[in-house]
Structures are given as structure tokens and as C-alpha cells.
Amino acid sequence: MRTVRQEANIARERLVQGLALAVLLLMGLYCVAGPSGLLAWGENQHLLEERRAKLVDLQAERDRLKNRVALLNPQNMDPDLAGELVRSHLNVARPDEMVMQLP
């Protein structure tokens, strides 16, 4: 014959076990679908690859601009670049050049 006390202990144990199971399930769900879980891992890898590709493009652009700045050095200026800049910014041309306007 069971006593009321034993039934209360059994109910309490089941409640504690149920809560522990719920906490473990929530932790498992967080590990799979959380912001740093397994599902987010693939998305983060994809974003990392995109950003690395963009970084390579930006480094190439930076190197191109560095070269252009080096060519604009006042002690050793590149005459072709200087002529290109004068023509593009001041709208000037040499007398032997012909300007053709495109429609």
C-alpha cells in the first residue's frame, strides 16, 4: 500500500524529470537552430566566402589606386597620366587632336 507521501515524492520526481527534459530539449534546439548553431554555420560560411571575394576585389582596387597615386608624384610625374587628367578635368585638347561628339 502506498502512502500519500510516496505518491507526492513520485509526482515531484516526475515534475523534476519533465523540467530537466524540457531544458535539455531547449538546449538541443538552441544548438541546432540558434544564432551560432548548426543551421547558421552554413550561412556564416557562405557570408565569409562572399566577404573574402569582396576583400580580394577591394585589395585589387586599392593597389590600382596606389599605383595611380605613385604616378602623380610631383618629383616624377607620368606625362601620360598628367595629360589624361588635364583633358578629363579641364576639357582641353591639343591643336592636332580632333574631338568627336557621340550622340
Side-chain angles (χ1 to χ4, degrees):
M1 184 165 139
R2 292 187 183 186
T3 63
V4 176
R5 187 171 226 171
Q6 286 177 340
E7 288 179 8
N9 284 340
I10 291 173
R12 185 178 299 148
E13 285 179 21
R14 285 186 180 170
L15 179 65
V16 168
Q17 289 175 354
L19 287 176
L21 180 62
V23 168
L24 286 174
L25 288 174
L26 285 174
M27 288 174 60
L29 181 65
Y30 187 76
C31 288
V32 171
S36 60
L38 296 175
L39 296 178
W41 189 276
E43 183 180 342
N44 288 340
Q45 290 295 331
H46 179 69
L47 288 173
L48 180 63
E49 290 172 9
E50 283 181 1
R51 289 183 178 154
R52 281 185 178 158
K54 186 171 182 173
L55 179 63
V56 168
D57 293 342
L58 289 174
Q59 285 174 340
E61 177 71 13
R62 183 192 65 193
D63 291 341
R64 188 187 68 77
L65 290 173
K66 256 178 143 177
N67 183 33
R68 199 162 167 97
V69 167
L71 291 174
L72 288 173
N73 184 3
Q75 277 81 30
N76 190 17
M77 179 168 271
D78 182 37
D80 292 333
L81 182 60
E84 177 187 332
L85 288 174
V86 167
R87 286 189 191 96
S88 66
H89 292 311
L90 299 178
N91 281 335
V92 297
R94 292 189 302 232
D96 62 338
E97 291 180 334
M98 180 183 292
V99 177
M100 299 178 73
Q101 294 183 350
L102 300 174

